[in-house]
Amino acid sequence: MTLARPTHAALGTVFGGAELRAWGLVLGTALTVEVGGRAFARSDIHDGAVLATLCLIALNVRTLGGVRRAMHRLGGVTRALMRQLRHYQIELGVDLRERPSIPRELPPVMLLALRGAVTLAVVAIAVTLAPISAGRDAWATVLYLGYLAGLAGLWAGLLTVALGGALLPAACIHDALLSTQADSPRRRYEIASIGSYLGITLVAGLTLPAWVPLAVTAATATLFVVTMQRSSPAVTLLWRARAGGRLRSIDWRRFEIGCAMGVLALFVAVVVAAVGRPALGLPGAPDPSMPVTQVAGAVASWLGAAAMALGCAFAVQWMRHQRLRDPARPKPRLAHLGGSATRVPEAASILQGVGWRTVATSQPHPEADLRIEVLDAPMPPLQRRQREPLQVSVRALALPELQQVLARRADAHRRAELVRGLETLFSRATSRSYRNGNGFWVAPQYWWVIGLTRDIDEDDYHADGALLTGVVGPAYHRVLPLTARQHCHEVLKALDIDLLFVEDGVGFAGLERVLSVLFEHFDRHDGQRRIEERDLTGLIGIRACLHDFELGKPRRPRDFPEPDYDTLGRARILHLARDRGGSHEADVPMDSQLEPTPAGVA
């Protein structure tokens, strides 16, 4: 008796009382649906009514004690399963260091998802091409509950494709116009563009055959893969298992191609399962017992195909333009030469011999770093604050000392444009309030970074915020000349800084002061020594901290809020935070109160 009581109590906990009534209710409902569905359901309209009824029943009985406890027990099984799947979850981020190199390997979750998507597509195509009838009755008469679950999954997939096909193009159009158009007409262009896109998609769906969406999707995928393979972005992604493990890397192109192929396979599986043989260009009459699924499949196929085509077009154009604006490609200084027509060719030959580019046009060149007036007579003394064009003789131009002065003047011009452009960006970005995050990431030196971003994206829509990329305000290329971004890349690479984070309390004024210190350090050491925290002292009201971030590596505690590193894998970050008056010994030794020189001064 003593040994039997615990066993009896355990059996009563599982099979007796409220749990037994709960399981009885579930099994009774399932039996009723199975029998009634076979007897009375004749189309997917009836199936939809059954699904809606089941959802209402679930919403009304989920608060019953027995059902809640039974679901809690099932939740334990689910949590155990999720713990097993946690080994497949990964953390992913961009590698900005690149040294030392990390072994390359595909994430297991990516391989698993890709194989599952391809399997679903193959099964859907095989079932559609099967000579034996595989219509609604063939599935519903075998196991109605299984058929109902499959139909619910198919409808969920169609709804996801349709919503994605409607919202993704709108987001692409919004982000594209945000980076190219002025503010005043942009919203009118945005509404007109979205309306035109939906109108063209509707006309195509009403006039073209049902196999066109998959054909368009196949052509889009081919174009995307070819473009990614032909491009050569030096971008590496790092990943590691969330449950712990070693760092691995993957090329950005392979990751994007794998994701695209997975989405394509899922799209093919959903469309073929819903539309049937016509989606593959084969003869076949629509199933009269599946009107809802047929209509939903047609809508989802056209919206999804149009969204993929538009998204691919935007991606290809973006990669082409961004690669042309790559700040990592060095661009020689450009001098606009004027003055004596007989001396200009000789002056151009001298400057080109030391790595300059020259133009001699009647109007000043918009991209010129320096304007020079070539004189026949000896040049007057060159003053420190002399305005352009600088009056220079050919004989003086051949002196290395003057060439160094002109190079510093050109660099000062690029720095002034960089500071002026960042001021414009920050004035736009700080004109609105934010609910999430602590500040802005600043990285105009990378071709694949479009503009300023928050460390945590905002949840709500804002007219000045990009929906897909998270960019706040105009893109870098709209306000920063390419030469300024190239000089920024040169300076930050020499100082061994991968990324700047500007806290909200610092703003542009603090960033400008820090940039002046960076430029001064670069000039003092001729770009041959990286900057350390001890070199960033004397910034009153600002704490400038340099720290190396690595995915999965524990971070030391700090007395100021850190940004969210979700998109980073490895980087050396210059963090500009407000000075909160705490101890600085661990991060920044404050042994100087010297004011930095203004940014851009040669």
Side-chain angles (χ1 to χ4, degrees), residues 37 40-54 136-137 140 144 147-148 151 155 287-296:
F40 301 105
R42 292 294 178 265
S43 70
D44 60 356
I45 298 177
H46 302 153
D47 302 331
V50 174
L51 283 174
T53 303
L54 289 177
R136 177 192 177 280
D137 294 339
Y144 184 73
Y147 157 77
L148 203 62
L151 182 65
W155 282 5
D287 190 348
S289 63
M290 304 288 285
V292 176
T293 306
Q294 293 280 345
V295 173

Side-chain angles (χ1 to χ4, degrees), residues 276-363:
R277 296 172 67 89
L280 300 175
L282 302 175
D287 190 348
S289 63
M290 304 288 285
V292 176
T293 306
Q294 293 280 345
V295 173
V299 172
S301 65
W302 280 103
L303 286 176
M308 290 185 186
L310 186 64
C312 177
F314 277 124
V316 170
Q317 183 185 23
W318 174 79
M319 283 188 289
R320 183 173 66 87
H321 284 295
Q322 291 297 100
R323 291 296 290 168
L324 292 177
R325 307 187 192 104
D326 187 0
R329 295 178 180 176
K331 195 170 186 179
R333 302 178 181 93
L334 176 63
H336 178 269
L337 301 181
S340 174
T342 58
R343 295 291 187 177
V344 165
E346 188 177 353
S349 177
I350 294 174
L351 289 177
Q352 291 171 4
V354 292
W356 284 68
R357 294 184 303 131
T358 60
V359 292
T361 57
S362 58
Q363 297 296 328

Side-chain angles (χ1 to χ4, degrees), residues 351-388:
L351 289 177
Q352 291 171 4
V354 292
W356 284 68
R357 294 184 303 131
T358 60
V359 292
T361 57
S362 58
Q363 297 296 328
H365 196 281
E367 297 181 0
D369 297 307
L370 199 62
R371 293 170 57 199
I372 299 176
E373 182 180 351
V374 184
L375 304 177
D376 287 322
M379 62 175 289
L382 189 62
Q383 302 175 3
R384 180 176 177 83
R385 299 296 182 182
Q386 183 176 341
R387 293 182 177 274
E388 297 182 11

Side-chain angles (χ1 to χ4, degrees), residues 483-496:
T483 53
R485 297 180 65 187
Q486 288 169 334
H487 186 67
C488 179
H489 178 273
E490 178 186 1
V491 172
L492 295 183
K493 184 177 181 181
L495 301 182
D496 200 19

Side-chain angles (χ1 to χ4, degrees), residues 78 123 148 165 182 189 203 300 336 381 391 521:
T78 305
V123 169
L148 203 62
Y189 289 154
V203 172
H336 178 269
Q391 295 181 344
H521 183 88

Side-chain angles (χ1 to χ4, degrees), residues 167-179:
L167 298 179
L168 181 62
C172 288
I173 292 172
H174 171 80
D175 288 5
L177 293 179
L178 183 67
S179 63

